[in-house]
């Protein structure tokens, strides 16, 4: 049921609300209907002509709407206005209660992050995995491995990773809202908006790296990154490719996120004792 | 979740009931024409849609057809019509 609706910039595209669904008009094409009940997330890329009713249709149903551009910048997230706190808000406060709890949460973040990094290294090179598991590894060891595989400029790399991390963040925010957790109640990124979502994103950062590497591998054949006014942008085809890759991996990513949320509940129970 | 394609067509004589039926079906349809809706439904959803439509229409005046489409067959399309599909995600643009 939890499908994502991606609306990509197109001059002829017009999105209007039609009862419990959205109606997408495109010149020279038959209109298409997307019922809101099938949608779990909405991502709007670039400048899309859209009725404000479309945004309220989704936000009324607790579906986050994310706005991104072709550089992954200027991100905005529309969420429903809710004067009530999430059900587990008070329980979540326990993570910030004292230094010991903060440290425990941070240790959990680091250990989970390392686990995901090892999984990614396993996909990149069995030899390096062997080295890492035998002798251990630090953050900078992992980064140097990714830099070795990167084979593009840092700016190009950032454009891709920012877009993928936005897609991932959107997915995480949706999961946190469904679990009735406050997405703003994180530890590592505390005092930031969506800090808990950012914390979980920090764990899954290695997944962003591997998807970016896969995208860059493809890029050699087709130009999917374009340079305009000294800035790098992802082309329309490139955006479609990134989304397709992300969607192919979404089920696994959702499962990992659900496990992380289970861990959070487990920790809350333990710390309450 | 396994979904089957159903074509739902209606002929409603009263405007108020027509609007109610149309609004209800828009929540389930991913394509179709003015009074013909393409709906990919699970068995449970189909049961719900049937029950709801029964309540929305007047048995002695209105009619609704629910056609089950054979999943193996391909729809012939003409003009700007598109093949009915039930995608994993919606990408528009």
């Amino acid at each position: 049921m939890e499908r994502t609706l991606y609306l990509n910039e197109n001059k002829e595209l017009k999105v209007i609300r039609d009862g419990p669904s959205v109606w997408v008009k495109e010149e020279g094409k038959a209109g298409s209907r997307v019922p809101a009940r099938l949608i779990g997330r909405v991502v709007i890329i670039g400048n899309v002509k859209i009725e404000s009713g479309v945004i309220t249709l989704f936000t009324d149903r607790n579906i986050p709407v994310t706005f991104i551009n072709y550089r992954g910048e200027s991100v905005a997230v529309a969420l429903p206005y809710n004067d009530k706190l999430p059900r587990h808000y008070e329980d979540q406060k326990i993570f910030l209660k004292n230094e010991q709890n903060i440290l425990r949460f941070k240790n959990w973040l680091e250990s989970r992050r390392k686990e995901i990094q090892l999984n990614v290294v396993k996909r990149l090179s069995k030899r390096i995995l062997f080295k890492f598991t035998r002798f251990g590894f630090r953050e900078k060891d992992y980064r140097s491995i990714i830099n070795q595989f990167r084979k593009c400029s840092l700016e190009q790399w950032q454009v891709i990773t920012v877009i993928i991390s936005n897609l991932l963040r959107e997915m995480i925010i949706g999961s946190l809202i469904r679990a009735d957790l406050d997405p703003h109640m994180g530890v590592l990124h505390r005092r930031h908006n969506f800090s808990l979502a950012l914390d979980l994103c920090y764990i899954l950062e290695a997944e962003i790296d591997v998807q970016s590497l896969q995208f860059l591998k493809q890029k050699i054949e087709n130009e999917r990154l374009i340079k305009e006014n000294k800035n790098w942008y992802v082309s329309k085809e490139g955006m479609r490719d990134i989304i397709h890759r992300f969607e192919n991996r979404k089920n696994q990513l959702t499962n990992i996120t659900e496990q992380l949320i289970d861990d959070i509940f487990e920790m809350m129970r333990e710390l309450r004792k | 979740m396994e979904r089957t394609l159903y074509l739902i067509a209606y002929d409603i004589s009263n405007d108020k009931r027509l609007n109610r039926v149309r609004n209800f079906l828009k929540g389930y349809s991913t394509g179709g024409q003015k009074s013909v809706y393409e709906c990919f439904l699970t068995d449970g959803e189909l049961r719900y849609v049937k029950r709801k439509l029964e309540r929305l229409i007047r048995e002695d005046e209105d009619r609704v057809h629910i056609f089950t489409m054979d999943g193996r067959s391909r729809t012939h399309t003409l003009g700007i019509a598109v093949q009915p599909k039930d995608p994993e995600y919606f990408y528009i643009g």
Side-chain angles (χ1 to χ4, degrees):
Chain A
M1 218 80 68
E2 293 295 315
R3 299 176 202 196
T4 311
L5 168 66
Y6 295 95
L7 294 169
N8 203 349
E9 183 173 321
N10 189 341
K11 271 183 190 164
E12 282 96 43
L13 194 75
K14 201 174 173 193
V15 189
I16 54 170
R17 182 178 176 165
D18 190 11
S21 62
V22 291
W23 180 249
V24 185
K25 283 192 219 169
E26 236 179 309
E27 240 176 49
K29 284 184 185 173
S32 57
R33 184 183 302 285
V34 182
R37 53 179 285 282
L38 289 179
I39 301 299
R41 286 169 290 278
V42 182
V43 180
I44 297 169
I45 306 150
N47 192 11
V48 179
K49 253 188 213 166
I50 190 165
E51 252 185 16
S52 60
V54 173
I55 297 163
T56 50
L57 170 73
F58 291 116
T59 48
D60 276 351
R61 289 161 188 251
N62 262 344
I63 300 167
V65 181
T66 301
F67 300 86
I68 62 173
N69 66 11
Y70 279 84
R71 282 178 59 76
E73 291 166 341
S74 315
V75 183
V77 179
L79 284 176
Y81 173 72
N82 192 354
D83 56 348
K84 286 183 194 129
L85 291 166
R87 192 147 54 104
H88 302 292
Y89 174 78
E90 288 298 327
D91 300 333
Q92 276 176 267
K93 274 187 183 170
I94 202 152
F95 292 126
L96 299 166
K97 201 176 172 188
N98 54 43
E99 277 303 313
Q100 207 182 342
N101 292 358
I102 291 173
L103 192 68
R104 169 136 189 217
F105 193 92
K106 280 184 179 170
N107 286 342
W108 169 76
L109 281 180
E110 290 301 334
S111 64
R112 284 303 215 158
R113 181 180 161 92
K114 283 241 173 335
E115 200 182 308
I116 305 282
Q117 284 177 340
L118 275 179
N119 278 335
V120 166
V121 171
K122 187 178 166 185
R123 279 149 75 187
L124 295 176
S125 158
K126 292 268 188 300
R127 190 181 55 82
I128 300 167
L129 175 75
F130 176 72
K131 207 175 121 190
F132 275 15
T133 45
R134 184 142 189 205
F135 304 108
F137 69 102
R138 294 160 298 176
E139 185 65 30
K140 70 172 183 185
D141 299 326
Y142 170 79
R143 280 266 68 93
S144 73
I145 295 301
I146 294 296
N147 289 342
Q148 269 177 39
F149 280 89
R150 183 160 50 103
K151 292 185 181 106
C152 70
S153 73
L154 189 65
E155 207 200 343
Q156 285 174 314
W157 177 255
Q158 277 170 347
V159 169
I160 303 159
T161 50
V162 167
I163 291 172
I164 301 171
S165 69
N166 282 327
L167 300 179
L168 185 66
R169 210 174 297 158
E170 164 97 359
M171 193 196 83
I172 291 170
I173 291 170
S175 298
L176 289 173
I177 291 172
R178 274 195 305 282
D180 239 328
L181 286 167
D182 186 354
H184 305 289
M185 194 77 166
V187 174
L188 194 67
H189 297 88
R190 64 179 184 273
R191 298 184 199 108
H192 280 81
N193 281 335
F194 298 106
S195 54
L196 185 58
L198 289 171
D199 283 359
L200 297 191
C201 216
Y202 174 74
I203 295 175
L204 293 166
E205 216 172 72
E207 280 290 339
I208 300 169
D209 293 334
V210 80
Q211 285 195 26
S212 307
L213 289 174
Q214 284 168 348
F215 172 79
L216 284 165
K217 230 176 172 180
Q218 283 287 311
K219 195 211 96 189
I220 300 161
E221 291 155 35
N222 305 306
E223 278 305 320
R224 286 164 188 212
L225 273 171
I226 38 175
K227 198 169 190 179
E228 264 179 35
N229 304 330
K230 294 179 186 173
N231 287 324
W232 285 98
Y233 293 87
V234 174
S235 69
K236 221 169 177 183
E237 280 307 304
M239 192 59 88
R240 188 187 279 263
D241 189 30
I242 289 175
I243 288 167
H244 188 64
R245 271 168 211 289
F246 183 79
E247 284 292 327
N248 281 344
R249 185 90 186 125
K250 206 180 76 187
N251 282 348
Q252 287 97 318
L253 290 174
T254 312
N255 286 342
I256 299 171
T257 311
E258 297 298 323
Q259 281 169 15
L260 294 175
I261 291 172
D262 289 346
D263 281 358
I264 291 174
F265 279 108
E266 186 74 39
M267 270 195 291
M268 286 196 298
R269 270 194 292 272
E270 280 177 24
L271 292 172
R272 257 204 316 262
K273 281 176 192 168
Chain B
M1 211 181 300
E2 200 63 35
R3 287 174 183 274
T4 312
L5 173 62
Y6 296 94
L7 271 190
I8 305 180
Y10 55 73
D11 200 353
I12 313 273
S13 53
N14 174 278
D15 281 353
K16 205 171 172 181
R17 288 200 303 277
L18 173 73
N19 282 336
R20 281 183 187 157
V21 170
R22 187 162 45 204
N23 196 55
F24 171 68
L25 286 175
K26 276 175 188 171
Y28 287 85
S29 148
T30 46
Q33 293 167 20
K34 287 216 166 134
S35 58
V36 182
Y37 289 86
E38 290 162 11
C39 305
F40 284 90
L41 305 172
T42 60
D43 292 345
E45 283 170 343
L46 177 67
R47 277 195 297 274
Y48 176 74
V49 168
K50 269 187 195 166
R51 267 205 315 271
K52 184 82 181 176
L53 286 173
E54 272 167 12
R55 268 182 280 159
L56 289 174
I57 61 166
R58 266 188 68 167
E59 275 195 14
D60 52 341
E61 285 182 26
D62 309 326
R63 54 186 170 158
V64 175
H65 280 95
I66 302 178
F67 302 99
T68 310
M69 305 305 286
D70 184 354
R72 293 163 299 180
S73 62
R74 206 176 140 80
T75 313
H76 294 280
T77 54
L78 298 170
I80 55 169
V82 286
Q83 286 283 338
K85 58 180 180 217
D86 186 32
E88 291 279 305
Y89 62 94
F90 295 91
Y91 182 92
I92 299 160

